Amino acid sequence: MQEVINALNEAQQEAVKHIDGSLLILAGAGSGKTKTLTTRLAYLISEVGIDPLNTLTLTFTNKAASEMRERASKLIPPNASMPLLCTFHKFGLLFLKFNIEKLGRANNFVIIDSDDRKRILKRIAKEHKIDLNIAFISSEISKYKNTLLTADEILKKAELPDYRKIATIYKDYEAEITENNLVDFDDLLMLTYQILEQDETLRKETSLRYQYIMVDEYQDTNELQFKLLELLASEHNNLCVVGDDDQSIYGWRGANIRNILEFSEHFKGTKTVKLETNYRSTFPILKAANELIEHNSQRIGKKLTSFKGDGDKVKLFHSLDESLESRSIAKEIKVLLDKGVPSDEIAVLYRINALSRSLEEGFTKEELPFKLLGGMRFYDRAEIKDMISYFRVLSNPNDDFSLERIINKPKRGIGKVTIDKLKKAAFESQSSIFRFLKEQDVGTIVSKKAANALKEFVANIELLQSEIKHSLHNFIELFEETIGLKRYYAAMIDGTERVQNIDEFIGFFREAISQTPNLALDIFLNEISLQSDQDNIDENAITIMSIHASKGLEFEHLYVIGLEEEFFPLLGDGCNMEEERRLGYVAITRAKSDLTLCYVNSRFYKGQRKNIEKSRFLGEAGLIQGEALKISKAPSYKIGDLVKHKIFGIGRVQAVNKSRQEYKLKINFGGNKKEILSSFVQSV
């Protein structure tokens, strides 16, 4: 054990040897946080003599828990009990199995997944005749549970009609899953918290059982996880958290960066240890990362130093457009592969998923093997499959397979029963579904409402087919106006990204038309099929992924594309510039020795080619000299967000207005409306 400790640097040893009291390990990228955490666990067990059963180590993913468990098992005595090392939600499950009866529930409960939850919500919404996007309802309910808000509280506070409707569904949903002894993913923590908060004796027993608690990736914790940790550590304050405020990139899904920023305020007597030696990247890469992140104001502050020392400068790669960018990157990567560089040491990152389309095309043309990590291939995404299916039906109306996919997208009240009736009738008439709809009176086999919707559908398809013969340019404008596919997807919880993907597809279509004015729709569709069919991919492939998906990974040769205003950073309502900057920091620090940041003069944006400016991050990272830096703060909050004020409690943002150097929020605190500066509230 001593040899393992001696191999650590001074800061790591300091963290490992801290025993009692709260401890914040501020671990920079590539600074050996997992090694430090597992060594500290082993030190407590092997050197201090703490019973492994009195420790609790919490992670966010099963993969991280498994890795830590494997490392820890090699460090602790072979005859020692295995400490509890699991995800937050696994801990909640174990706790509820023993204690859920305290809520009047049986411990033979069944956990439902997100699809099960959506099915229940869909049925309840239908019963109430509420026509809201089910994914949005599910997301809001998840948000309420993770901020410990009940349906009754939402009903009292909600001012907008849609949120009152959601609260009504939430109330019925909770009654149904409780009655049927079901537990959803959010309940694993919410119910655990409720039991501990209500039962003083059990809270003390549980806290005294887990006398040494450690938490990985603490910057990703939400309100509920923080409150749960408060209860678990209430009897001893022996809470050690490891995280990096500069890598907090999940605010959009509920992570609260204030948990790590204000840790020493919440847990008195906190010792803070900064791990600032980076073992991954060379000095020029860390210099760019340090300079970029220093522009953030919401951070504790640290500066990474390179263990590896000097290396090649960070390269800037400037192209005219995304097609040239992807082809040039592909050619560069070919040279690297020819030199013997392993393909799994090469990656390309992007901020917006829609940017993967040009990369996939460029790599396919150069016959480079690639894998898309942490997301679907561009042409596999539902919204793009819908666009392609519409185009296929317009090109060949007798394509029943494609027609089935889009006949109820956007929703037209054409359910499975109706579709099955149409398929049967068309088959008996030896006709395609579309020809049957066009030539027969379907009112005799389906409802009047469905018949009218189908009649309108046929008319729209024929209108678009007619326009295609005159002008493909005008057709694409008429398509959205007539079909409304973007409006349909915009209403979803991830609607912004889906609309961006549709815009990227439309932009690609327009580009194809401009290059081949007499382009036929079927030829365009065939080209897509070739581009989206990449066979025989093995694990030895270049990785293409979003920056979010890259967290925790590292690559010898790294390209980051889309370093332009509006693409990276994102701009506009709801954009959090500090989180965008943290994403930039995460992207840069994935590189070990060779980093290339790419930007272009123009990209397709919202369906149109647009000239764009290079990203402010290039200047802030010190990579472009002599240019004025744009250091502007975008609002952290948008209309509809739930926020918390230390005096007025929880409220919903109704308006966001600029006020000198920050933003003034109009907030409804359960009917009590206030105008509050944004720095005085926090997200919930």
Side-chain angles (χ1 to χ4, degrees):
M1 184 74 219
Q2 194 56 48
E3 286 183 20
V4 176
I5 294 173
N6 290 342
L8 302 176
N9 64 38
E10 189 177 333
Q12 289 171 331
Q13 288 190 32
E14 186 182 0
V16 165
K17 292 179 178 179
H18 178 84
I19 301 172
D20 292 320
S22 51
L23 171 66
L24 169 60
I25 304 175
L26 203 63
S31 63
K33 73 174 179 66
T34 304
K35 184 178 184 180
T36 304
L37 198 64
T38 51
T39 304
R40 182 174 187 269
L41 176 61
Y43 178 79
L44 289 172
I45 295 167
S46 304
E47 297 293 313
V48 181
I50 303 301
D51 186 338
L53 299 178
N54 289 141
T55 70
L56 171 63
T57 305
L58 297 170
T59 69
F60 275 85
T61 65
N62 289 314
K63 182 182 176 184
S66 178
E67 181 187 350
M68 285 189 180
R69 201 177 296 114
E70 187 179 337
R71 288 198 194 189
S73 65
K74 293 175 182 176
L75 297 176
I76 62 178
N79 58 342
S81 301
M82 197 60 197
L84 183 53
L85 205 163
C86 61
T87 65
F88 272 94
H89 292 88
K90 178 63 179 294
F91 172 77
L93 172 60
L94 294 172
F95 181 87
L96 291 179
K97 279 292 181 185
F98 287 100
N99 299 291
I100 198 169
E101 73 276 0
K102 293 184 180 294
L103 295 175
R105 304 269 298 268
N107 70 353
N108 63 343
F109 58 84
V110 174
I111 300 173
I112 59 173
D113 61 21
S114 58
D115 286 339
D116 294 328
R117 174 151 90 175
K118 285 174 185 174
R119 276 195 290 272
I120 296 170
L121 293 173
K122 185 176 182 180
R123 180 170 44 73
I124 295 171
K126 191 174 181 181
E127 288 169 2
H128 286 282
K129 297 182 179 177
I130 293 173
D131 187 21
L132 288 175
N133 181 270
I134 300 301
F136 175 65
I137 295 171
S138 181
S139 172
E140 280 294 296
I141 289 174
S142 180
K143 196 184 297 181
Y144 299 151
K145 289 193 174 192
N146 281 284
T147 48
L148 299 168
L149 287 169
T150 65
D152 286 335
E153 287 173 318
I154 300 299
L155 279 168
K156 286 177 188 174
K157 296 177 180 180
E159 187 172 83
L160 298 175
D162 281 356
Y163 291 104
R164 286 199 293 273
K165 291 175 183 176
I166 292 172
T168 300
I169 295 171
Y170 179 22
K171 189 164 187 172
D172 284 5
Y173 168 74
E174 284 294 273
E176 178 164 331
I177 64 171
T178 302
E179 183 181 344
N180 291 284
N181 206 23
L182 304 176
V183 167
D184 66 25
F185 201 61
D186 298 315
D187 288 334
L188 293 174
L189 296 188
M190 185 185 78
L191 298 181
T192 295
Y193 174 82
Q194 286 177 354
I195 292 168
L196 287 172
E197 202 265 339
Q198 292 168 14
D199 193 320
E200 182 75 8
T201 303
L202 182 60
R203 177 193 60 75
K204 285 184 178 180
E205 286 176 2
T206 307
S207 182
L208 290 171
R209 177 178 180 183
Y210 301 113
Q211 292 180 25
Y212 292 89
I213 302 171
M214 290 189 279
V215 183
D216 189 25
E217 301 287 8
Y218 186 69
Q219 77 280 348
D220 294 336
T221 53
N222 62 23
E223 176 86 358
L224 176 53
Q225 287 158 339
F226 163 72
K227 285 180 172 291
L228 184 57
L229 288 169
E230 270 192 318
L231 295 181
L232 291 173
S234 57
E235 291 299 305
H236 48 69
N237 203 40
N238 294 331
L239 176 62
C240 165
V241 302
V242 182
D244 186 358
D245 53 334
D246 293 332
Q247 294 189 76
S248 178
I249 59 174
Y250 295 112
W252 51 275
R253 70 179 188 197
N256 190 346
I257 191 174
R258 289 175 183 258
N259 288 353
I260 191 167
L261 295 178
E262 299 170 0
F263 181 80
S264 58
E265 296 174 28
H266 292 302
F267 299 95
K268 299 304 178 187
T270 293
K271 179 182 180 68
T272 300
V273 177
K274 297 181 181 181
L275 305 185
E276 297 175 294
T277 302
N278 175 289
Y279 294 91
R280 176 189 299 151
S281 308
T282 56
F283 171 76
I285 292 169
L286 294 185
K287 182 175 181 291
N290 284 329
E291 290 194 23
L292 172 64
I293 204 64
E294 280 175 5
H295 287 80
N296 271 5
S297 58
Q298 282 192 309
R299 62 191 299 256
I300 298 170
K302 65 181 180 310
K303 196 160 190 173
L304 295 179
T305 58
S306 174
F307 182 81
K308 294 171 77 170
D310 209 3
D312 293 339
K313 288 183 177 179
V314 176
K315 296 188 284 291
L316 298 183
F317 194 73
H318 178 203
S319 305
L320 291 175
D321 59 35
E322 69 277 7
S323 296
L324 288 170
E325 174 186 66
S326 60
R327 283 160 60 190
S328 300
I329 291 172
K331 288 180 189 301
E332 272 201 16
I333 289 175
K334 255 193 166 180
V335 172
L336 290 174
L337 295 175
D338 289 342
K339 288 180 179 178
V341 174
S343 55
D344 59 3
E345 279 291 351
I346 305 170
V348 187
L349 309 183
Y350 46 79
R351 170 66 180 93
I352 299 174
N353 283 328
L355 268 58
S356 76
R357 198 273 310 161
S358 59
L359 287 172
E360 292 173 42
E361 180 189 351
F363 281 33
T364 301
K365 284 181 178 176
E366 291 295 329
E367 298 182 337
L368 288 175
F370 67 87
K371 56 187 175 185
L372 194 67
L373 194 68
M376 292 183 187
R377 288 167 54 80
F378 183 80
Y379 292 105
D380 288 340
R381 292 173 177 131
E383 60 275 17
I384 302 305
K385 282 187 170 184
D386 290 345
M387 288 291 292
I388 292 171
S389 293
Y390 264 108
F391 278 31
R392 283 175 175 163
V393 169
L394 290 166
S395 176
N396 174 20
N398 298 318
D399 179 352
D400 282 357
F401 178 77
S402 297
L403 186 134
E404 275 189 59
R405 180 179 180 90
I406 50 96
I407 198 168
N408 198 40
K409 284 186 180 178
K411 292 189 183 301
R412 301 183 177 91
I414 314 297
K416 186 178 183 304
V417 173
T418 300
I419 294 171
D420 287 344
K421 285 180 180 177
L422 291 174
K423 286 169 68 175
K424 183 174 183 291
F427 177 77
E428 290 172 351
S429 300
Q430 296 184 318
S431 167
S432 69
I433 296 174
F434 187 84
R435 199 166 79 226
F436 181 81
L437 291 174
K438 186 177 175 181
E439 296 175 356
Q440 303 294 327
D441 178 14
V442 296
T444 58
I445 59 171
V446 301
S447 69
K448 184 178 179 182
K449 182 181 177 183
N452 289 336
L454 290 165
K455 185 178 179 181
E456 184 182 354
F457 172 73
V458 170
N460 286 339
I461 295 296
E462 291 183 322
L463 174 65
L464 291 169
Q465 285 176 321
S466 175
E467 190 59 44
I468 286 170
K469 293 174 184 174
H470 291 95
S471 167
L472 280 179
H473 275 288
N474 293 340
F475 147 72
I476 200 63
E477 297 292 341
L478 185 62
F479 178 85
E480 176 58 26
E481 184 183 321
T482 306
I483 303 300
L485 200 62
K486 284 205 292 187
R487 292 193 298 275
Y488 168 67
Y489 276 112
M492 296 185 178
I493 191 68
D494 55 352
T496 301
E497 185 175 310
R498 289 178 182 268
V499 169
Q500 286 172 341
N501 290 334
I502 292 173
D503 283 336
E504 174 70 15
F505 179 85
I506 291 171
F508 178 51
F509 178 66
R510 283 202 173 105
E511 183 91 331
I513 297 168
S514 65
Q515 291 175 356
T516 311
N518 297 320
L519 180 70
L521 201 56
D522 59 339
I523 293 174
F524 172 75
L525 290 167
N526 288 338
E527 285 294 316
I528 285 176
S529 297
L530 291 174
Q531 288 175 16
S532 59
D533 181 22
Q534 192 190 27
D535 297 324
N536 304 318
I537 298 177
D538 57 27
E539 284 304 305
N540 296 316
I542 299 115
T543 303
I544 298 175
M545 72 181 114
S546 69
I547 298 167
H548 280 99
S550 76
K551 191 166 177 292
L553 302 178
E554 56 183 43
F555 301 92
E556 199 67 46
H557 302 272
L558 185 74
Y559 297 81
V560 185
I561 67 167
L563 267 295
E564 304 107 20
E565 296 288 290
E566 297 188 74
F567 287 91
F568 194 17
L570 292 182
L571 301 176
D573 291 343
C575 169
N576 184 326
M577 189 55 65
E578 297 226 339
E579 185 154 316
E580 291 294 305
R581 210 171 271 118
R582 292 194 291 270
L583 268 171
Y585 176 85
V586 167
I588 290 170
T589 54
R590 299 310 95 199
K592 293 199 263 187
S593 60
D594 179 22
L595 173 63
T596 304
L597 304 180
C598 310
Y599 63 98
V600 299
N601 285 357
S602 75
R603 283 190 196 276
F604 277 107
Y605 185 61
K606 296 184 177 178
Q608 304 285 340
R609 180 157 292 283
K610 182 177 178 181
N611 291 326
I612 44 180
E613 296 180 41
K614 62 177 76 72
S615 172
R616 69 191 70 190
F617 291 169
L618 298 175
E620 292 179 357
L623 299 171
I624 295 178
Q625 305 301 322
E627 295 197 15
L629 299 184
K630 290 183 181 178
I631 309 174
S632 60
K633 293 181 72 175
S636 299
Y637 304 104
K638 60 184 183 298
I639 295 171
D641 280 355
L642 282 173
V643 295
K644 185 178 182 181
H645 188 274
K646 62 183 179 181
I647 296 172
F648 302 117
I650 292 173
R652 192 174 291 277
V653 177
Q654 294 186 316
V656 181
N657 297 297
K658 191 86 172 80
S659 177
R660 297 182 297 280
Q661 298 304 308
E662 60 175 309
Y663 288 83
K664 185 185 292 184
L665 310 178
K666 184 179 179 182
I667 308 169
N668 180 8
F669 296 100
N672 182 16
K673 297 177 184 177
K674 297 284 183 183
E675 286 194 338
I676 305 286
L677 292 174
S678 58
S679 57
F680 285 81
V681 298
Q682 63 186 77
S683 297
V684 296

